[in-house]
Amino acid sequence: MGDEGLSADEILDIVDDDDRVVGQAPRGRVYRERLTHRCVFIQARDPRGRIFVHRRTPGKLVFPSMYDMFVGGVVGAGEDYDTAALREAEEELGVSGLPQPVPVLTFLYETPEHRWWSRVYEVTCASPVDPQVEEVAWHAFLTDAELEARLPGWDWVPDGLAAFHRLREHRAGDRG
């Protein structure tokens, strides 16, 4: 996640531990120096409730050729999460007129290599998808059971997998 549609020179907002903007930097520097920025994750389902799953192209800057159960990417400088979520979802799914994705949860994704605030959204996409060939090497809509069956065997993007587990825990908490 994180490099969709943006060059290494694209300016991103840098945020603090409370997700407040404290500066700006080019995306390449943000990644090199592990500066905290913002990303959006959108779980897109079709009208039958199946989840859009895809494999990233080999040329991706972050997590090339890995599978993801979200569309999304970085939030640009001066852009808010909601605007980025709609932009990223429409770009990656190759649709227009998508309903505004609904925010579900926010968390800080942190590894020795990466650090970004992550807002997770949900949206239903009733239009036929036409994913960007530069972003998506393969795609399908999978049922929850089909996705669960593939979790152990496929090479998933780590931030998407973290978002997926948090979303699942959030939903379980809503039922309990």
Side-chain angles (χ1 to χ4, degrees), residues 5 17 20 28 34 43 50 52 56 58 62 65 67 91 96 99 105-106 112 124 126 137 155 163 166 173:
D17 289 347
R20 293 183 303 236
R34 196 178 169 265
Q43 186 177 79
R50 298 175 303 173
F52 180 82
R56 296 164 61 85
V62 177
S65 299
Y67 288 92
E91 285 176 5
S96 58
L105 62 97
T106 303
T124 299
D155 194 13
R166 285 181 184 255

Side-chain angles (χ1 to χ4, degrees), residues 52-91:
F52 180 82
V53 175
H54 68 282
R55 187 170 47 81
R56 296 164 61 85
T57 55
K60 300 297 290 176
L61 183 63
V62 177
F63 311 136
S65 299
M66 297 178 85
Y67 288 92
D68 202 348
M69 65 282 285
F70 294 95
V71 295
V74 296
V75 178
E79 189 176 38
D80 63 39
Y81 282 108
D82 290 350
T83 302
L86 181 59
R87 174 183 54 78
E88 287 286 352
E90 287 188 337
E91 285 176 5

Side-chain angles (χ1 to χ4, degrees), residues 107-134:
F107 70 98
L108 181 63
Y109 177 74
E110 191 167 16
T111 70
E113 300 84 25
H114 304 290
R115 191 170 200 269
W116 51 71
W117 279 100
S118 308
R119 183 149 308 158
V120 181
Y121 290 80
E122 295 176 321
V123 71
T124 299
C125 179
S127 304
V129 298
D130 185 19
Q132 294 176 311
V133 294
E134 311 82 42

